[in-house]
Amino acid sequence: MAEPNIAQKAPFKVDVVAGKAYFWCACGQSKNQPFCDGSHKGSAFSPVKYDATEAKTVFFCGCKHTKGQPFCDGSHKTL
Ligand code: FES
Ligand code: FES
């Protein structure tokens, strides 16, 4: 399986807006981290959609190696 690019070895803290959809970059190539900017085209990766049901602070995975996409699960500490 293709390895994603490590955008950064730390999560991105984002205050999400209730009712808004977010597309997390899974490939690590986006210039608009942690979100997809279309750079994955032609690769084995696709973005992961997250629908925010309430306004809150979330931590999107920046290393792209989380087992709990799209959120940080601490896996960046092992990279
Ligand atoms: Fe990374 Fe789209 S740019 S998934
Ligand atoms: Fe990827 Fe934490 S930033 S698991």
Side-chain angles (χ1 to χ4, degrees):
M1 195 178 146
E3 279 287 304
N5 182 55
I6 297 171
Q8 68 174 29
K9 288 186 182 178
F12 290 89
K13 183 182 176 196
V14 177
D15 294 321
V16 297
V17 177
K20 192 174 167 189
Y22 295 83
F23 292 87
W24 174 76
C25 168
C27 72
Q29 303 289 353
S30 173
K31 299 286 185 289
N32 183 36
Q33 292 295 333
F35 306 115
C36 175
D37 72 352
S39 297
H40 63 271
K41 287 199 181 75
S43 77
F45 296 94
S46 316
V48 174
K49 188 178 181 213
Y50 166 64
D51 290 305
T53 54
E54 58 180 326
K56 62 177 176 180
T57 302
V58 302
F59 293 86
F60 287 107
C61 171
C63 73
K64 314 303 180 185
H65 285 71
T66 180
K67 302 285 188 293
Q69 296 181 353
F71 305 114
C72 172
D73 70 351
S75 293
H76 62 272
K77 296 188 187 110
T78 65
L79 298 173

